[in-house]
Amino acid sequence: MDFNFQDLILKDRDARQHQHYDVSFLEYLNMVKKDPDIAKLAHKRMYDIIVSSGVESIKTEDHQRLKRIYGKETIKRYKFFESDFYGIDKTIMEIVRYFHSAAMRGEESRQVLYMVGPVGSGKSSLMESLKKALEQHPPIFVLKDCPMREEPLHLIPKHLRDEFSQILGVNIEGDLCPVCRYRLIHEYQGEYENFRVVTTDFSIRSRKGIAVVPPVDPNNQDTSVLVGSVDISKMDLYPEDDPRVLSLNGAFNAGNRGLVEFIEIFKNDVEYLHTILTATQEKSIPSPGKNSMIYFDGIILAHSNESEWNKFKSDHTNEAILDRIVKIEVPYCLELDEEVKIYQKILKRSNFKAHIAPHTIEMASIFAIISRLTPSSKVDIISKMHLYNGEEVLQKDATQRVDIRELREEAGREGFEGISTRFIMKAIDNALSESEHDCINPIILLDSLAKSVKASDFGEEEKKKLMAYLQDVVRKEYNRILEKEVTKAFIHGYREQAEALFNNYLDHAEAFVNKSKLKDINTGEELDPDEEFLSSIEAQLGLTGNAAKGFRHDVTAYMFTLLRNNKKIEYECYEPLKEAIEKKLTASVRELSRIITQARVRDSEQSEKYNQMVDEMKRNGYCEHCCNVILKYAANNLWKD
């Protein structure tokens, strides 16, 4: 069926024409009277864009995973950011808090929003999302032919502003730019009610309300990039202080009513940045030549890497600029589940079509996360990663849980060093590009990561540490996951068996804790709790003696908490017990799995079990090729004689 492109084009053109206004200032005043939001300032506009998409307030007490990560806090999640940013909830909350305060015309409205963090942490992406948000915003009203795209209410004389503010329900701030002031006098003879007002949109490409300032060569820094210049070709026609000689095309001129972004801001000399001082505190910028200061209403965004920030702030002569900065740190993601989502998002946007075996992206994410963590004597690096992911982790030799807050305090500035997202993605891309079977798996990816580390510019000590993580820590974690997965594929009705073990453990643990007896379902006979059975489960976690008894009390108390809150009780609801049960199941079939997986010649019964296992793994996301590779790897690495 042919598509009618002509209709699509004409329909869009017609819709856009209806969005365009060309009215007198008097008509504009009546529009503002009906809807004061028309005249909102830049920070309020951005805040409204963010919150209009939706805000979800989450009380962590109702979410066990979030409670473990954040403690007893209320986390706000903004739908505006949710499809692009993961694992930086606190950072996003700080950004929105800045815009909220600035929207209320607080001190932040006169401050630079500055993001600092390691390479590849998402600073530039956050900036891009804010710029694209403005591009999607409906057109705003501006004075016709104004180079500053300024707010039409600037036409109202100072002595009438209080009265107009009360009638319109808006705060009126700012003055006409020199060009519009000249036009008001000479074109409109001072009759400001007749000044034409039009609508215009925001555009990154056209520098309409959005301006970007890249680092400038220190030997060729010219403030005209920021505030425009004097048109020399008109100097013979008009005097130097005549507004008609002005060419207001600098970043602050273009970004008025919108935003100005400074990329790698501290790569510029300090003198070049002095324009920021008045643009923030006084909300005005110098005009070129000998004209008066020009009112500026815009968001000033900046970002750089941490090393540049540290160098800049160490110089006490930069205090004036530092005092006008709201610093927001953008660290690397430290939550495994969220890190996985980052790579999945990037891969969805690529054109790679290869099959990706289960746990491939997870292994890359584990490597990235542990490279960013500070080692602790209180817990091993993998357990720390699971803790930061909001999982329940129990110390092997005690009933006391590791406190995530203590780990964070001990670690200091965690998340500002380590492997970047870009580094991981390049290794994934290389693995996908070199794939001979249109399929990659964790084994191939770990090899690709090892090659990337060896070819990197990291120091020898750093390379040695990262290679140790890959070859020892990450590979052991993969072996643990794979053994569990093969076991699940091998055991028919794995979940049912796990639930049976779980319920049995709960019954006996509760009887032990309450010093009561159990009733046999079949005979009605009262029995003592089976401590041998309880110990066989607890031994999987390395718990014995008092630690094991304490564990029984913890499990029982936790289950009663779930019951009180009407939560579903199943074997996966308490992470340490889930881990123990899965280890118990794995141990019970390990020998049989080993024999069948390693056997080159199988009898009919073994072949049937092997084929069932392969079919189950395929149902779990493996293709024919990666299933064969993974099972060969399992035979050679999981169950060595």
Side-chain angles (χ1 to χ4, degrees):
M1 180 180 174
D2 292 335
F3 191 83
N4 194 326
F5 292 104
Q6 181 73 14
D7 283 353
L8 178 64
I9 293 166
L10 293 175
K11 186 178 178 182
D12 175 69
R13 185 174 295 151
D14 185 57
R16 288 183 178 275
Q17 284 176 347
H18 282 90
Q19 291 176 355
H20 182 73
Y21 288 86
D22 187 338
V23 298
S24 70
F25 178 60
L26 202 59
E27 291 172 284
Y28 174 70
L29 286 173
N30 285 313
M31 295 171 79
V32 175
K33 180 75 173 64
K34 291 177 183 176
D35 182 10
D37 261 3
I38 288 174
K40 70 178 91 173
L41 298 177
H43 288 90
K44 176 76 164 64
R45 183 177 298 110
M46 183 61 76
Y47 177 71
D48 287 350
I49 291 170
I50 293 170
V51 298
S52 65
S53 298
V55 185
E56 182 185 11
S57 289
I58 305 170
K59 289 186 178 179
T60 56
E61 291 180 355
D62 300 330
H63 296 76
Q64 286 300 320
R65 178 178 177 273
L66 293 177
K67 185 179 178 181
R68 294 183 194 114
I69 297 171
Y70 298 112
K72 293 181 180 180
E73 293 185 40
T74 297
I75 299 297
K76 287 189 175 179
R77 286 198 169 148
Y78 297 87
K79 292 187 178 179
F80 175 82
F81 296 102
E82 73 176 2
S83 61
D84 288 308
F85 301 96
Y86 304 97
I88 53 170
D89 286 338
K90 285 287 189 75
T91 299
I92 288 171
M93 284 168 64
E94 284 186 52
I95 292 170
V96 181
R97 186 211 56 76
Y98 162 84
F99 281 116
H100 188 203
S101 177
M104 305 297 286
R105 303 175 75 230
E107 182 59 27
E108 270 86 348
S109 64
R110 289 172 162 77
Q111 300 265 300
V112 177
L113 176 63
Y114 167 69
M115 297 185 201
V116 60
V119 293
S121 61
K123 303 181 298 294
S124 300
S125 297
L126 283 164
M127 297 286 184
E128 285 301 313
S129 69
L130 297 174
K131 289 188 288 187
K132 286 177 182 175
L134 271 182
E135 284 197 309
Q136 300 302 316
H137 189 272
I140 59 170
F141 288 87
V142 302
L143 291 178
K144 190 173 185 178
D145 298 326
C146 173
M148 296 290 295
R149 295 160 38 99
E150 67 184 307
E151 166 58 55
L153 294 180
H154 292 176
L155 289 165
I156 299 172
K158 291 283 179 70
H159 65 278
L160 288 176
R161 286 196 175 181
D162 287 345
E163 189 174 348
F164 269 89
S165 290
Q166 288 181 2
I167 296 168
L168 298 173
V170 297
N171 290 301
I172 303 172
E173 64 172 60
D175 294 309
L176 286 173
C177 72
V179 174
C180 288
R181 191 181 302 119
Y182 179 90
R183 291 176 56 222
L184 174 62
I185 295 167
H186 295 88
E187 287 182 35
Y188 292 94
Q189 290 74 49
E191 295 176 353
Y192 56 88
E193 68 274 19
N194 296 323
F195 210 114
R196 302 307 294 177
V197 174
V198 296
T199 50
T200 184
D201 55 8
F202 292 91
S203 171
I204 299 171
R205 185 176 57 187
S206 303
R207 291 183 88 230
K208 290 160 66 176
I210 302 170
V212 179
V213 185
V216 181
D217 179 5
N219 299 318
N220 192 30
Q221 287 189 344
D222 184 352
T223 55
S224 64
V225 172
L226 302 179
V227 298
S229 59
V230 170
D231 188 343
I232 298 173
S233 67
K234 295 180 181 178
M235 291 292 286
D236 291 340
L237 302 174
Y238 312 111
E240 193 176 348
D241 60 350
D242 192 306
R244 286 173 292 182
V245 304
L246 297 180
S247 181
L248 300 179
N249 56 5
F252 282 110
N253 311 122
N256 189 42
R257 308 287 299 283
L259 65 82
V260 179
E261 177 194 6
F262 284 84
I263 299 172
E264 300 295 343
I265 184 170
F266 297 129
K267 280 189 167 75
N268 297 297
D269 281 349
V270 179
E271 290 74 15
Y272 181 72
L273 303 176
H274 281 166
T275 308
I276 291 175
L277 297 179
T278 55
T280 52
Q281 213 60 36
E282 283 77 43
K283 296 193 78 169
S284 60
I285 56 172
S287 61
K290 295 184 177 180
N291 280 280
S292 60
M293 299 289 282
I294 300 174
Y295 174 78
F296 171 76
D297 165 41
I299 302 159
I300 304 177
L301 303 175
H303 54 94
S304 77
N305 296 325
E306 198 169 18
S307 57
E308 289 164 352
W309 163 255
N310 290 332
K311 182 181 175 183
F312 185 82
K313 74 173 183 178
S314 65
D315 188 345
H316 71 277
T317 60
N318 297 331
E319 287 175 354
I321 294 177
L322 288 169
D323 192 48
R324 289 163 171 79
I325 285 175
V326 173
K327 175 182 165 231
I328 292 178
E329 295 182 336
V330 187
Y332 287 131
C333 171
L334 295 179
E335 296 175 37
L336 177 61
D337 289 351
E338 301 300 298
E339 185 77 6
V340 170
K341 291 176 186 175
I342 293 171
Y343 303 123
Q344 288 173 338
K345 174 195 74 174
I346 298 170
L347 284 168
K348 278 180 185 175
R349 294 175 180 174
S350 75
N351 290 329
F352 286 114
K353 302 299 181 187
H355 175 255
I356 300 176
H359 308 299
T360 304
I361 304 303
E362 185 183 351
M363 289 306 110
S365 302
I366 287 173
F367 176 56
I369 298 290
I370 63 174
S371 76
R372 300 165 187 171
L373 298 179
T374 304
S376 171
S377 59
K378 296 176 181 177
V379 67
D380 64 83
I381 200 85
I382 280 288
S383 295
K384 189 176 187 181
M385 178 200 72
H386 287 302
L387 271 167
Y388 278 29
N389 196 40
E391 299 172 40
E392 189 80 50
V393 175
L394 200 69
Q395 288 177 302
K396 305 300 181 190
D397 57 349
T399 56
Q400 184 182 359
R401 290 175 187 80
V402 185
D403 191 332
I404 192 171
R405 286 167 296 183
E406 287 181 13
L407 290 175
R408 286 198 173 118
E409 287 171 11
E410 174 191 58
R413 290 175 53 70
E414 209 165 34
F416 287 86
E417 292 180 352
I419 294 292
S420 73
T421 306
R422 292 192 192 112
F423 183 95
I424 298 292
M425 274 312 306
K426 282 189 275 188
I428 294 173
D429 289 350
N430 289 339
L432 288 165
S433 301
E434 295 170 7
S435 170
E436 295 179 6
H437 300 275
D438 285 331
C439 170
I440 64 168
N441 55 62
I443 301 144
I444 289 173
L445 184 60
L446 290 177
D447 288 342
S448 179
L449 285 167
K451 287 178 186 174
S452 298
V453 169
K454 288 174 184 174
S456 70
D457 295 327
F458 299 134
E460 287 306 312
E461 280 300 310
E462 184 68 11
K463 282 185 182 181
K464 190 176 176 182
K465 182 185 81 172
L466 294 173
M467 288 303 293
Y469 280 156
L470 276 172
Q471 293 167 355
D472 184 31
V473 182
V474 181
R475 199 167 284 271
K476 278 183 180 175
E477 181 68 2
Y478 176 59
N479 289 353
R480 184 188 69 80
I481 292 169
L482 180 58
E483 184 171 19
K484 188 195 302 181
E485 187 152 87
V486 172
T487 302
K488 282 184 179 179
F490 187 83
I491 302 177
H492 180 68
Y494 176 90
R495 185 175 185 89
E496 289 81 357
Q497 293 197 36
E499 290 286 2
L501 272 177
F502 172 75
N503 290 322
N504 207 13
Y505 181 89
L506 284 190
D507 291 340
H508 286 271
E510 184 183 351
F512 175 85
V513 168
N514 296 329
K515 296 179 181 177
S516 60
K517 291 185 180 288
L518 289 130
K519 185 174 283 189
D520 189 292
I521 298 172
N522 298 316
T523 66
E525 181 185 359
E526 289 193 336
L527 304 169
D528 289 324
D530 187 347
E531 290 193 57
E532 189 176 335
F533 166 70
L534 292 171
S535 297
S536 72
I537 299 289
E538 292 143 3
Q540 306 301 322
L541 299 174
L543 299 173
T544 57
N546 290 331
K549 290 174 183 176
F551 182 73
R552 294 168 199 174
H553 282 271
D554 280 353
V555 171
T556 306
Y558 186 78
M559 296 306 154
F560 276 120
T561 302
L562 291 182
L563 278 173
R564 281 198 302 271
N565 292 309
N566 296 317
K567 297 287 177 67
K568 188 177 180 181
I569 294 179
E570 52 191 358
Y571 97 94
E572 294 166 322
C573 64
Y574 189 64
E575 189 64 35
L577 183 55
K578 170 180 175 279
E579 182 186 343
I581 286 168
E582 289 180 342
K583 282 186 174 181
K584 174 79 171 170
L585 279 173
T586 302
S588 68
V589 297
R590 182 173 291 155
E591 186 62 21
L592 197 53
S593 299
R594 182 182 70 84
I595 292 168
I596 289 179
T597 308
Q598 287 186 330
R600 292 179 181 173
V601 179
R602 304 180 183 94
D603 60 33
S604 58
E605 186 182 345
Q606 287 177 335
S607 292
E608 186 181 348
K609 281 190 174 292
Y610 182 82
N611 292 334
Q612 285 175 352
M613 181 170 64
V614 169
D615 289 342
E616 183 62 25
M617 289 188 74
K618 287 181 180 177
R619 279 192 287 272
N620 291 336
Y622 291 91
C623 69
E624 186 77 38
H625 171 72
C626 65
C627 190
N628 289 333
V629 172
I630 294 298
L631 288 175
K632 282 178 185 175
Y633 174 86
N636 294 327
N637 293 273
L638 299 188
W639 306 296
K640 291 182 179 178
D641 291 319

